[in-house]
């Protein structure tokens, strides 16, 4: 008889890859990967497919827009072109402006180093949220995405399993309490757990696949 542990095991094995990893970001507590993750979160927070947001984050990197100084110094057209190369065309003109403004704001506020924002928040998630929300184009959903992705390197905010992640747990028939989910995930990192649950929330086929592989009947 299969149970929640079997479902969790399949979920993590098949879908437990963070969006940062998918975008080619080796996430460490250093300025460039943190900034790239912030940009990725801004892209993922828009009403566009996650695959396009990930491809666009890679395209920005390939175009050399890897840190806030490079992003701020690039022309608006260079940013538009990089966004287009990633397939992010629906919001490219507005997003190009927001990326430039956001990079300059980050440079002005914390010298381009998100670790300073972390230090200022001092473990207060609401304070960190407020600081992140100042970033043009980064709404509440984008802030949640950023916190989900960075929680392995900023462990004072872990486990960060927001409403979207818990929606995935519900779809999978798993507990909807963060502590219980962490226990089921055993040694898996909180960021991998969060990403896997979000994938199940965003795509019912992910949840159905996990349930089928675990030997449980998908919910109707």
């Amino acid at each position: 008889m299969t149970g929640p542990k079997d479902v969790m095991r399949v979920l993590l094995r098949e879908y437990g890859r963070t969006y940062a990893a998918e975008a080619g970001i080796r996430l460490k507590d250093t300025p460039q990967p943190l900034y790239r993750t912030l940009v990725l979160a801004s892209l993922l927070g828009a009403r566009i497919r996650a695959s396009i947001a990930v491809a666009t984050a890679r395209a920005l990197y390939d175009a050399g827009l890897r840190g806030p100084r490079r992003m701020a110094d690039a022309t608006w057209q260079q940013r538009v072109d990089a966004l287009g190369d990633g397939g992010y065309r629906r919001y490219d003109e507005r997003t190009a402006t927001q990326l430039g403004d956001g990079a300059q704001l980050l440079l002005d506020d914390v010298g381009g180093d998100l670790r300073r924002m972390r230090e200022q928040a001092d473990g207060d998630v609401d304070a960190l949220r407020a600081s992140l929300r100042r970033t043009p184009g980064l709404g509440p959903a984008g802030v949640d995405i950023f916190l989900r992705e960075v929680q392995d390197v900023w462990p004072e905010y872990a486990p960060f399993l927001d409403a979207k992640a818990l929606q995935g747990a519900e779809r999978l028939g798993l507990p909807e309490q963060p502590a219980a989910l962490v226990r089921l995930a055993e040694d898996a990192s909180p960021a991998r757990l969060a990403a896997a649950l979000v994938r199940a929330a965003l795509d019912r086929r992910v949840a159905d696949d996990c349930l089928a592989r675990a030997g449980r009947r998908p919910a109707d």
Side-chain angles (χ1 to χ4, degrees):
M1 183 177 181
T2 59
K5 281 192 176 182
D6 301 289
V7 175
M8 179 64 77
R9 192 175 298 114
V10 172
L11 175 70
L12 290 169
R13 184 184 70 228
E14 301 296 331
Y15 300 103
R17 189 182 188 197
T18 66
Y19 288 96
E22 189 176 343
I25 302 170
R26 292 187 177 183
L27 194 50
K28 299 183 291 184
D29 190 26
T30 54
Q32 189 184 107
L34 288 171
Y35 175 70
R36 291 180 62 200
T37 303
L38 183 70
V39 170
L40 174 64
S42 297
L43 299 172
L44 285 166
R47 294 180 180 274
I48 199 162
R49 289 200 307 275
S51 59
I52 293 177
V54 167
T56 301
R58 285 181 172 273
L60 289 165
Y61 179 85
D62 291 341
L65 308 182
R66 303 172 183 182
R69 173 52 63 195
R70 291 280 189 91
M71 187 69 78
D73 288 348
T75 66
W76 177 82
Q77 190 59 54
Q78 286 173 322
R79 293 192 292 269
V80 168
D81 290 345
L83 290 165
D85 288 343
Y88 206 88
R89 297 185 179 87
R90 183 177 177 185
Y91 306 107
D92 56 350
E93 295 186 359
R94 183 181 68 184
T95 302
T97 299
Q98 291 172 337
L99 287 173
D101 291 346
Q104 189 60 57
L105 180 67
L106 190 63
L107 290 165
D108 293 342
D109 282 0
V110 291
D113 190 344
L114 283 160
R115 295 176 301 179
R116 294 185 185 177
M117 196 179 291
R118 177 191 184 186
E119 291 171 4
Q120 292 167 2
D122 194 25
D124 184 336
V125 70
D126 291 331
L128 181 58
R129 281 181 181 278
S131 296
L132 290 167
R133 280 295 309 275
R134 298 187 65 231
T135 306
L138 190 73
V143 169
D144 282 349
I145 293 166
F146 179 78
L147 291 172
R148 289 198 309 255
E149 292 287 314
V150 303
Q151 61 183 310
D152 287 351
V153 295
W154 289 5
E156 64 269 34
Y157 300 109
F160 188 85
L161 301 176
D162 61 343
K164 184 60 70 175
L166 296 181
Q167 180 184 331
E170 179 185 18
R171 178 170 281 179
L172 289 158
L174 296 174
E176 295 173 52
Q177 297 77 38
L181 289 165
V182 169
R183 285 194 298 272
L184 277 176
E186 297 180 336
D187 295 332
S189 76
R192 285 186 60 221
L193 170 61
L197 291 170
V198 167
R199 292 178 193 278
L202 294 176
D203 189 345
R204 179 173 289 278
R205 291 172 299 180
V206 169
D208 289 348
D209 179 55
C210 290
L211 293 171
R213 287 172 184 262
R216 293 178 63 180
R217 181 180 177 183
D220 293 333

